[in-house]
Amino acid sequence: MRTKSEKRDCARFDFELPVIIEECGSGVHFNARMFNYSLQGMYFESDLSLLSGARVNVWLANTAGSSLPDINSAEVRWCEEIIGAVVLFNYGAGIRYHQPLTYRELPGQFQVIQGGLKDPGHIKK
């Protein structure tokens, strides 16, 4: 995972879920794993090295009980090689959705993790 200090506009929700990533127009799909998301973006790990600014399509894997909305169009904000850890994937990436989520679309059981808003108490369930 990313080790640099980060500032975020939106609260992050810790949630692990398989996702499918496609570089726009390539038609090639890659397995990945989402580790957190917000109203504006997500962090995932995959074996796909992506350039900042690349456009990707993202699909949440069909997981029983998940009420997260499907997310498809996004832009890569950063991608870094994961070095020195025993991991399933070689790269970690942060993306920003082209169409942000709304609080209505978020499940109620998630909790804000480090890097989120200072006062998550405003989140309406």
Side-chain angles (χ1 to χ4, degrees):
M1 273 191 137
R2 208 164 187 198
T3 58
K4 297 176 184 169
S5 176
E6 300 180 65
K7 294 182 181 178
R8 302 180 194 252
D9 293 336
C10 288
R12 284 275 162 175
F13 299 92
D14 191 18
F15 192 67
E16 191 174 334
L17 185 72
V19 293
I20 307 294
I21 307 293
E22 174 201 20
E23 280 190 275
C24 283
S26 75
V28 179
H29 296 86
F30 296 87
N31 290 324
R33 191 149 202 89
M34 174 182 76
F35 286 95
N36 67 55
Y37 73 97
S38 74
L39 296 178
Q40 295 179 349
M42 107 176 21
Y43 169 77
F44 66 87
E45 294 179 1
S46 74
D47 285 328
L48 180 61
S49 176
L50 296 162
L51 296 175
S52 291
R55 296 181 70 156
V56 295
N57 290 319
V58 180
W59 290 272
L60 300 178
N62 293 334
T63 303
S66 174
S67 59
L68 285 170
D70 286 339
I71 301 160
N72 54 23
S73 183
E75 178 183 327
V76 176
R77 303 298 287 184
W78 59 269
C79 182
E80 296 176 0
E81 187 175 3
I82 300 171
I83 300 172
V86 178
V87 294
L88 295 176
F89 298 107
N90 294 316
Y91 297 94
I95 59 173
R96 180 179 289 257
Y97 314 136
H98 287 140
Q99 187 76 30
L101 302 177
T102 65
Y103 281 114
R104 277 188 305 248
E105 295 171 305
L106 298 180
Q109 75 271 19
F110 294 124
Q111 296 185 1
V112 177
I113 61 172
Q114 183 177 1
L117 297 174
K118 291 180 182 173
D119 179 17
H122 75 284
I123 298 174
K124 305 273 191 264
K125 292 183 182 177

